[in-house]
Amino acid sequence: MDNKYVNMAHKVLDSTNNDFVKENISKLYSKDDEKQQIRNEAQATRRKVVGDKLFVRGSLEYSNYCSNSCAFCGMAGNNISLSRYELSFDEVKQAVNQLIKYDVHQLHIVTGENWEMKIQKMCDVVKYAVSRGLGVTLVLGELKEEEYEQLYSAGANRYILKFETSNPENYSICKSGKNLYERVANLFLLRDIGFKIGTGVISGLPRTTDKDLMQDLLVLKRIQPDMASVSIFSPNEKSRYADQIPGDIQKTLNFVSLMRRHLLKTKIITCSSSFGSGMQVEALNAGANLMS
């Protein structure tokens, strides 16, 4: 990784703003009138930034092979009980054609972070989707620079790489020793290649505090991604965090509103599936504007 991008990652991660943290941390627990005021402000900001449009994308889980062993994820490579798969090209074509039938114009392709993935196969998938008139967003994890470039040349125009938590120590713990600075550096590399970038965090991730979550917001504000999201931690029974306490839905909804208020260059804030179908409407009311 070019030191330029690593230095950029240090710049956004290594300093805090105590006034920003103090000003916003109490809003995580807003209720009733105060909560409604925050929601109203978030909706007004969304209206100003992007209008009252709901964006819809089709999510294709292309493969669940993963080389990582993240503590919070049931797809972790060390989960030997999980049945692994990778879609065939014919299965991808069927899914793409189904999206077109339903008049959905954005394809969101998700895989585990598989170091053995054949990048040309994914390029062929991207080319087919683009040839059918779809925009393509990729969620493939960290790749080599030349692989990002191949995917961009194939026609993918958006790339999502969540950093999960801005706490470097906790990131290393839950991601089995991986480096947070390198993760964030990849976002700046992707942007320079030409991708619109997306990133996000997990609310309620074990060992994180409310102060960490406000630092997450501050880091998001410094990155100003094109797309942002927050997921609610949910303990997967096959993960190392199986016995941990789930994240708080209301606090996470308040965080959605805070993202919308502070990420003024971010057009898309995702209504995460982690909210569940019943609460996704609440996430939209909190300031989100995209569903998968």
Side-chain angles (χ1 to χ4, degrees), residues 10-205:
H10 276 279
K11 187 174 181 179
V12 303
L13 288 164
D14 283 350
S15 63
T16 190
N17 181 328
N18 290 329
D19 290 338
F20 180 88
V21 170
K22 290 177 182 178
E23 177 186 346
N24 288 284
I25 199 167
S26 63
K27 296 178 182 178
L28 290 173
Y29 298 95
S30 300
K31 296 181 179 179
D32 303 327
D33 290 347
E34 185 183 8
K35 181 180 75 173
Q36 191 56 50
Q37 180 182 349
I38 294 171
R39 297 286 188 275
N40 291 341
E41 291 173 353
Q43 291 173 16
T45 303
R46 180 183 60 200
R47 194 170 296 117
K48 181 178 179 180
V49 171
V50 73
D52 282 327
K53 298 178 181 179
L54 174 62
F55 296 92
V56 178
R57 67 187 180 196
S59 189
L60 179 66
E61 296 188 1
Y62 176 81
S63 170
N64 67 352
Y65 284 99
C66 192
S67 302
N68 291 334
S69 294
C70 301
F72 53 82
C73 185
M75 199 188 296
N78 59 357
N79 179 5
I80 60 175
S81 67
L82 182 64
S83 178
R84 304 285 173 171
Y85 73 89
E86 181 178 299
L87 297 183
S88 68
F89 191 67
D90 283 342
E91 288 173 319
V92 170
K93 286 171 39 175
Q94 290 175 22
V96 167
N97 294 337
Q98 193 75 2
L99 281 184
I100 294 168
K101 178 181 176 181
Y102 289 124
D103 200 28
V104 175
H105 304 287
Q106 288 290 328
L107 177 62
H108 176 248
I109 303 176
V110 182
T111 73
E113 192 166 313
N114 180 12
W115 303 333
E116 297 181 3
M117 182 180 67
K118 301 297 187 288
I119 203 68
Q120 187 55 52
K121 291 177 69 174
M122 183 57 67
C123 287
D124 291 341
V125 167
V126 171
K127 288 176 181 177
Y128 179 76
V130 171
S131 75
R132 300 287 284 141
L134 299 183
V136 177
T137 301
L138 298 175
V139 190
L140 313 179
E142 295 177 44
L143 301 175
K144 298 175 182 177
E145 181 173 355
E146 57 267 28
E147 292 174 327
Y148 291 140
E149 290 172 343
Q150 285 177 261
L151 292 163
Y152 185 74
S153 295
N157 57 0
R158 297 173 183 267
Y159 202 103
I160 296 174
L161 191 68
K162 296 180 182 181
F163 61 85
E164 321 295 11
T165 174
S166 58
N167 182 317
E169 181 179 1
N170 194 38
Y171 180 88
S172 180
I173 290 171
C174 70
K175 301 277 283 186
S176 297
K178 297 201 75 175
N179 186 294
L180 175 62
Y181 296 96
E182 292 181 1
R183 184 77 165 186
V184 174
N186 273 266
L187 286 167
F188 295 117
L189 169 60
L190 285 159
R191 178 176 275 163
D192 269 5
I193 288 171
F195 284 100
K196 290 186 181 299
I197 60 168
T199 191
V201 299
I202 301 175
S203 172
L205 190 66

Side-chain angles (χ1 to χ4, degrees), residues 20-30 34-35 37-43 45-46 210 213-218 220-221 224 228 230 250-264 266 269 283 285-288:
F20 180 88
V21 170
K22 290 177 182 178
E23 177 186 346
N24 288 284
I25 199 167
S26 63
K27 296 178 182 178
L28 290 173
Y29 298 95
S30 300
E34 185 183 8
K35 181 180 75 173
Q37 180 182 349
I38 294 171
R39 297 286 188 275
N40 291 341
E41 291 173 353
Q43 291 173 16
T45 303
R46 180 183 60 200
D210 290 343
L213 193 56
M214 285 301 94
Q215 183 69 14
D216 293 346
L217 180 61
L218 185 59
L220 286 167
K221 184 177 181 180
Q224 290 290 353
V230 57
Q250 290 301 323
K251 181 165 72 172
T252 309
L253 287 169
N254 288 339
F255 189 83
V256 171
S257 291
L258 291 173
M259 283 198 299
R260 180 57 76 189
R261 289 287 289 114
H262 289 285
L263 307 184
L264 298 180
T266 299
I269 292 181
N285 289 331

